[in-house]
Amino acid sequence: MSPTEPVRKGAVRKGDAVKSRMAVSMLELIQRQGYAGTGLNAVLEHAGAPKGSLYFHFPGGKEQLGVQAIALAADQFTALIRECLTTDPATELGEAIESAIDALAELMAASDYTLGCPVSVVTLEMGNASEALRTACTDAYDSWAALVEEFLVARKVAPAEAKLLGSAAVSLIEGALIISRARRSPRPLRDAGASLRSLAGAAATPKESR
């Protein structure tokens, strides 16, 4: 008997759910134990997925699953940045930056400093070993820098300066996340936030007023 249309749709939804769970599990395990330390059997067990589903959804194996996990991390951090760095011109510049830093500090403290940015983890481990993973990490960083750039341009910062500061902001925060984990303290993140607040405030000040 041929499957009916509702059954086919249900099967697609179930398959998508399994694929999504595997990406979420891969991301969580990368954060805890790194990319190299994350085995595919551990991902399947964590996701509660059947063994045959891995290469069905990710024919490229671990690398493809890693790329999907990085894309998921990029989306999650993008949502966090968008929530904090609203483009509403009424939001004070320093307040928005402080809000973003507070959110990141709370996430790290809640994990007892065991979780950091999974994109930086993969970059450090696999940046020279996998072009697909390196590209996925680059795309994530670029997307976050673009959001900061958009936020600054909305506050009358010159586009060229906003682009430079967007890149600097991502570099500062990514480095601060690593040092915060090493020190088990939010202080490096707070310091990065204070520096960003100062840089962004100076950029938003008309040149004739400086």
Side-chain angles (χ1 to χ4, degrees):
M1 183 175 67
S2 299
T4 62
E5 184 65 18
V7 170
R8 287 201 298 272
K9 287 182 177 178
V12 170
R13 286 196 295 271
K14 182 178 179 181
D16 286 346
V18 171
K19 183 177 181 179
S20 177
R21 287 204 312 274
M22 284 192 287
V24 169
S25 292
M26 182 68 172
L27 175 57
E28 291 183 3
L29 292 173
I30 286 174
Q31 286 181 295
R32 293 178 190 172
Q33 56 201 40
Y35 178 87
T38 297
L40 292 179
N41 287 335
V43 174
L44 290 170
E45 182 179 353
H46 188 277
K51 288 188 177 181
S53 62
L54 176 65
Y55 288 99
F56 175 78
H57 292 295
F58 299 99
K62 183 177 178 179
E63 182 181 60
Q64 186 180 359
L65 182 55
V67 168
Q68 187 67 34
I70 293 167
L72 178 59
D75 289 345
Q76 290 177 350
F77 275 76
T78 293
L80 175 65
I81 295 169
R82 282 195 183 280
E83 184 178 347
C84 298
L85 302 187
T86 172
T87 53
D88 179 1
T91 301
E92 185 182 328
L93 185 66
E95 176 189 341
I97 292 173
E98 190 171 327
S99 176
I101 295 298
D102 284 345
L104 289 171
E106 287 172 10
L107 285 172
M108 292 201 75
S111 74
D112 195 27
Y113 297 94
T114 60
L115 301 182
C117 176
V119 179
S120 65
V121 171
V122 176
T123 299
L124 292 170
E125 287 189 26
M126 303 299 297
N128 292 324
S130 166
E131 183 63 17
L133 290 170
R134 186 198 65 78
T135 299
C137 291
T138 298
D139 289 346
Y141 292 136
D142 288 348
S143 68
W144 300 336
L147 281 176
V148 178
E149 180 183 347
E150 176 188 0
F151 168 79
L152 292 170
V153 168
R155 279 151 186 76
K156 311 302 181 185
V157 175
E161 199 159 7
K163 188 176 185 66
L164 184 151
L165 283 171
S167 175
V170 173
S171 298
L172 268 171
I173 291 173
E174 285 291 301
L177 284 168
I178 293 172
I179 299 172
S180 284
R181 288 187 72 187
R183 293 183 176 172
R184 296 180 62 80
S185 166
R187 187 72 261 163
L189 263 176
R190 304 288 185 200
D191 292 344
S195 296
L196 281 175
R197 186 170 184 168
S198 177
L199 288 169
T205 302
K207 285 185 170 54
E208 58 271 17
S209 301
R210 298 180 188 178

